[in-house]
């Protein structure tokens, strides 16, 4: 099959800095088009993808028959609409997280995916990184005995950027939609379990936007404590504590940007096991996995059903607060 030809809806900063270069660098893919109403914003994309076609509307890009797949990095509240429109235009679509603002909004996307046979997924990149496959292997083979507690933290401070879409209710802002998908979804990914109850939820808001969320969730045999914030020092870490050992993930979500990826396994006896992953780019791996799914070579590792489960988890936290 020929290289998969990608278009991007909108010249978002994240698309410019991460996903555009990743699409361009991935095997058997080409970045061929961008939709933006501001031609000046196209220049950085054209620098990495000479010959890039620039459309002045999202609809015009979706109408181009020479585009196979679309990446959607729009504000959160537009994700469902443009994921649906991309599929209706016959395009495979990879949409930034969160793909929806409520779990039930994903049901229609699942039905449309099944009806069209297209690949549609949330850009949940961590499941493509080998460090998370190693953690899942350790936990599911009993390397730390019975899992008893997970602690997941992801914080940063964007208080100096009040115009950021994450700081606005109307664009689906808040730390849980932005980064709670990671602290909550990573535990679901490595354990294969779903939460049964929310034991505690503390939500802090500014101007109606949730800027900090701390929650404790009950799973079968273990609890998960999640802290996300847009008003604290930049920090991330996940720890899995069991009856026989501990797994630490010091840079769980943004390796290369935040630090070097590595995972550590500590047990009652024996040396600490450490696996390091220098230079691994999870965004490139994500694009390549998407391409493999489009070509029918392998199932996509992050299904819409998985994404629905994480959003349902977020919905449970909102409900517990109320």
């Amino acid at each position: 099959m020929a290289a998969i030809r990608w278009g991007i809806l909108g010249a978002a900063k994240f698309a410019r800095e991460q996903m555009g270069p990743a699409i361009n660098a991935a095997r058997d893919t080409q970045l061929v088009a961008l939709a933006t109403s501001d031609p000046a914003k196209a220049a950085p994309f054209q620098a990495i993808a000479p010959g890039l076609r620039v459309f002045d509307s999202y609809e015009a890009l979706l109408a181009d028959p020479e585009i196979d797949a679309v990446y959607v990095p729009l504000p959160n509240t537009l994700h469902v609409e443009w994921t649906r429109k991309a599929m209706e235009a016959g395009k495979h679509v990879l949409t930034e997280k969160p793909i929806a603002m409520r779990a039930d909004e994903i049901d229609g996307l699942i039905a449309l995916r099944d009806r069209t046979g297209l690949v549609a997924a949330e850009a949940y990149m961590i499941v493509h990184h080998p460090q998370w496959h190693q953690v899942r292997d350790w936990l599911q083979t009993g390397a730390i005995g019975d899992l008893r507690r997970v602690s997941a933290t992801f914080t940063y401070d964007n208080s100096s950027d009040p115009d950021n879409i994450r700081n606005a209710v109307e664009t689906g802002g808040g730390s849980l939609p932005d980064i709670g998908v990671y602290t909550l979804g990573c535990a679901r990914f490595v354990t294969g379990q779903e939460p049964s109850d929310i034991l505690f939820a503390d939500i802090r808001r500014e101007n109606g936007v949730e800027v900090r969320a701390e929650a404790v969730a009950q799973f079968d045999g273990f609890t998960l404590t999640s802290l996300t914030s847009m008003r604290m020092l930049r920090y991330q870490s996940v720890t899995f504590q069991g009856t026989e050992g501990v797994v630490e993930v010091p840079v769980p979500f943004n390796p290369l940007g935040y630090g070097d990826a590595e995972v550590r396994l500590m047990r009652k006896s024996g040396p600490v096991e450490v696996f390091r992953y220098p230079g691994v780019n999870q965004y490139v791996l994500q694009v390549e996995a998407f391409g493999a799914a489009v070509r029918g070579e392998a199932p996509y590792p992050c299904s819409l059903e998985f994404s629905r489960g994480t959003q349902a988890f977020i919905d449970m936290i909102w409900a517990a607060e109320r």
Side-chain angles (χ1 to χ4, degrees):
M1 182 177 180
I4 294 169
R5 300 163 298 183
W6 284 79
I8 299 176
L9 298 188
K13 178 183 178 182
F14 188 78
R16 182 177 72 246
E17 295 181 351
Q18 298 291 350
M19 282 300 294
I23 292 170
N24 194 59
R27 292 171 299 179
D28 300 321
T29 65
Q30 293 179 321
L31 177 57
V32 300
L34 172 74
T36 177
S37 58
D38 184 353
K41 291 183 177 180
F45 295 87
Q46 291 170 319
I48 64 170
L52 185 82
R53 300 197 301 280
V54 180
F55 296 86
D56 61 5
S57 73
Y58 304 151
E59 290 88 352
L61 186 150
L62 294 181
D64 188 334
E66 295 187 356
I67 296 172
D68 306 307
V70 172
Y71 169 62
V72 180
L74 300 172
N76 295 343
T77 49
L78 298 177
H79 287 177
V80 170
E81 174 186 356
W82 287 99
T83 301
R84 175 179 53 79
K85 287 182 176 180
M87 280 193 282
E88 289 173 343
K91 311 300 185 189
H92 305 283
V93 57
L94 182 66
T95 300
E96 260 312 316
K97 49 77 195 164
I99 198 167
M101 300 304 299
R102 298 189 317 274
D104 60 7
E105 292 180 329
I106 302 176
D107 295 337
L109 300 181
I110 291 173
L112 184 55
R113 176 206 64 190
D114 292 346
R115 188 164 68 250
T116 60
L118 294 164
V119 179
E122 180 182 64
Y124 190 64
M125 74 289 186
I126 69 169
V127 301
H128 306 280
H129 199 292
Q131 70 172 348
W132 281 107
H133 292 247
Q134 181 60 56
V135 172
R136 183 170 62 176
D137 181 65
W138 276 334
L139 265 65
Q140 296 193 2
T141 58
I144 63 171
D146 296 326
L147 180 62
R148 291 290 180 251
R149 182 175 185 269
V150 182
S151 177
T153 300
F154 195 176
T155 61
Y156 63 89
D157 186 357
N158 68 358
S159 58
S160 63
D161 186 13
D163 294 330
N164 191 302
I165 60 173
R166 296 166 183 83
N167 285 318
V169 174
E170 56 270 21
T171 48
S175 77
L176 275 175
D178 186 37
I179 52 179
V181 293
Y182 300 122
T183 59
L184 306 177
C186 72
R188 296 181 55 250
F189 176 70
V190 299
T191 65
Q193 291 194 32
E194 303 293 346
S196 59
D197 193 20
I198 304 299
L199 306 178
F200 170 81
D202 179 26
I203 310 293
R204 309 293 176 88
R205 287 186 168 82
E206 292 179 9
N207 301 317
V209 177
E210 171 263 304
V211 297
R212 173 180 168 178
E214 188 166 10
V216 179
Q218 181 68 58
F219 286 74
D220 182 14
F222 69 94
T223 57
L224 163 66
T225 299
S226 165
L227 171 64
T228 57
S229 176
M230 305 190 301
R231 296 295 184 270
M232 298 173 70
L233 181 71
R234 183 172 178 245
Y235 179 74
Q236 54 185 261
S237 176
V238 180
T239 303
F240 299 87
Q241 295 178 268
T243 55
E244 303 291 330
V246 174
V247 169
E248 292 181 341
V249 192
V251 188
F253 310 125
N254 295 131
L256 299 183
Y258 181 76
D260 294 328
E262 69 173 46
V263 291
R264 299 192 286 260
L265 170 63
M266 295 166 284
R267 292 188 268 201
K268 287 183 178 180
S269 60
V272 176
E273 292 185 47
V274 181
F275 288 79
R276 295 184 174 91
Y277 306 89
V280 173
N281 188 315
Q282 59 192 351
Y283 302 109
V284 172
L285 294 178
Q286 176 177 246
V287 174
E288 291 179 346
F290 192 90
V294 168
R295 290 187 291 271
E297 298 168 355
Y300 191 65
C302 185
S303 68
L304 287 177
E305 286 83 356
F306 178 86
S307 299
R308 191 192 192 287
T310 299
Q311 186 58 51
F313 197 169
I314 294 174
D315 293 349
M316 288 174 65
I317 295 174
W318 295 136
E321 180 214 12
R322 289 192 292 269

